[in-house]
């Protein structure tokens, strides 16, 4: 299983270091078993960390350029300095709050694919689309894969319904099961679920047939809560 933590705009450089120290000690005492752990801290916390081999540090975003004049953005040269080779692309907050188009998202995907990055690519429908039923949900989610090479061997897809992100609302097990099964028919890559995953629902979500892990926002920011989810995943 992959258990991933998206810090979003939370944690400082100092608190990220303290979090990772605590997490590493937990993993070294076999707290996470065979599971793979991914942490996506803010850019300002990037560093060269000494971590157990099951932990990967990735970034929440990146600009599709090695370097250049892209004010406020971070390119490959800055990521290489910290040996970053894992990236989140297409997160709904970047699509809906930052206004990223599918065209820009596909450009980022192509760039980081060409550089050999592992890509956690996010898709997910808004509430009104979910209310129209599964065929609309699939049409919407598949449209977010336009221009994306779904045969890329380092691709992981995170299905994160927009209405379930940061809202405390989780998709039902049936909705997750059906959507992941339908996705698996078209994309044969690891599939994560994201959207208000927390210790109380981790076990049932991880036991869904095509679910290869979870992408966790809010409930990952507290290291105790994240460690609890890792312990639960260890038993799954
Ligand atoms: C996310 O940001 O990817 C996410 C799933 O957030 P939350 O767990 O807070 O819903």
């Amino acid at each position: 299983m992959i258990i991933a933590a998206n810090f979003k705009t939370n944690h400082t450089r100092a608190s990220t270091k303290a979090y990772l120290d605590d997490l590493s000690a937990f993993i070294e005492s076999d707290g996470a078993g065979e599971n793979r752990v991914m942490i996506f801290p803010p850019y300002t916390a990037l560093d060269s960390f000494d971590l157990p081999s099951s932990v990967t540090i990735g970034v929440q975003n990146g600009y599709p350029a090695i370097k250049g004049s892209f004010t406020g953005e971070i390119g490959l040269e800055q990521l290489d300095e910290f040996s970053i080779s894992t990236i989140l692309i297409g997160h709904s907050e970047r699509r809906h709050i930052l206004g990223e188009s599918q065209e820009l998202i596909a450009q980022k995907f192509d760039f980081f694919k060409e550089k050999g990055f592992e890509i956690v690519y996010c898709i997910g429908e808004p509430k009104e689309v979910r209310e129209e039923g599964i065929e609309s949900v699939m049409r919407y989610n598949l449209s977010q894969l336009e221009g994306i090479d779904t045969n890329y061997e380092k691709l992981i897809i995170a299905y994160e319904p927009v209405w379930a992100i940061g809202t405390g609302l989780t998709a039902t097990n049936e909705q997750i099961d059906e959507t992941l099964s339908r996705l698996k028919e078209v994309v044969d890559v690891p599939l994560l679920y994201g959207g208000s995953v927390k210790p109380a629902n981790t076990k049932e979500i991880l036991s869904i047939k095509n679910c290869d892990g979870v992408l966790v926002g809010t409930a990952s920011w507290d290291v105790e809560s994240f460690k609890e989810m890792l312990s639960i995943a260890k038993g799954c």
Side-chain angles (χ1 to χ4, degrees), residues 6 8 91 93 160 164-167 194-197 215-219 221:
N6 177 11
K8 312 192 190 194
H91 192 280
E93 285 155 10
E160 302 202 298
I165 295 186
T167 57
S196 298
V197 179
L215 176 54
V216 190
T218 316
W221 305 338

Side-chain angles (χ1 to χ4, degrees), residues 125-134 137 159 163 175 179:
E125 78 286 351
K127 194 161 188 287
E128 61 276 15
V129 173
R130 172 51 74 180
E131 284 166 358
E132 286 167 11
I134 186 68
V137 167
Y159 167 58
W163 50 274
Q175 287 170 327
T179 313

Side-chain angles (χ1 to χ4, degrees), residues 11-169:
H11 277 295
T12 61
R13 186 172 185 76
S15 71
T16 299
K17 168 90 174 62
Y19 184 110
L20 291 174
D21 286 347
D22 191 329
L23 184 66
S24 298
F26 176 75
I27 289 172
E28 270 152 14
S29 67
D30 198 30
E34 302 286 295
N35 294 305
R36 222 188 128 192
V37 176
M38 289 182 176
I39 308 287
F40 295 91
Y43 285 140
T44 54
L46 292 182
D47 210 335
S48 300
F49 299 106
D50 185 17
L51 298 169
S53 58
S54 58
V55 182
T56 300
I57 300 291
V59 281
Q60 301 170 23
N61 182 36
Y63 195 76
I66 293 173
K67 59 182 183 174
S69 299
F70 307 104
T71 302
E73 294 289 335
I74 294 221
L76 186 68
E77 190 173 84
Q78 289 82 41
L79 300 180
D80 275 350
E81 186 177 14
F82 300 108
S83 307
I84 298 293
S85 57
T86 297
I87 186 167
L88 274 185
I89 294 180
H91 192 280
S92 71
E93 285 155 10
R94 296 211 58 86
R95 291 179 190 267
H96 299 293
I97 302 176
L98 283 308
E100 277 190 17
S101 64
Q102 186 60 28
E103 193 188 354
L104 175 61
I105 288 168
Q107 265 173 34
K108 288 185 182 188
F109 184 93
D110 282 349
F111 179 85
F112 287 102
K113 173 192 149 191
E114 205 242 315
K115 302 299 175 198
F117 272 55
E118 178 174 47
I119 298 175
V120 179
Y121 185 83
C122 304
I123 58 175
E125 78 286 351
K127 194 161 188 287
E128 61 276 15
V129 173
R130 172 51 74 180
E131 284 166 358
E132 286 167 11
I134 186 68
E135 297 310 327
S136 295
V137 167
M138 290 314 295
R139 250 193 318 278
Y140 190 94
N141 279 294
L142 295 180
S143 75
Q144 294 191 322
L145 290 171
E146 260 164 38
I148 303 303
D149 174 8
T150 54
N151 292 315
Y152 180 45
E153 70 276 10
K154 292 189 190 167
L155 169 63
I156 296 165
I157 292 181
Y159 167 58
E160 302 202 298
V162 178
W163 50 274
I165 295 186
T167 57
L169 295 173

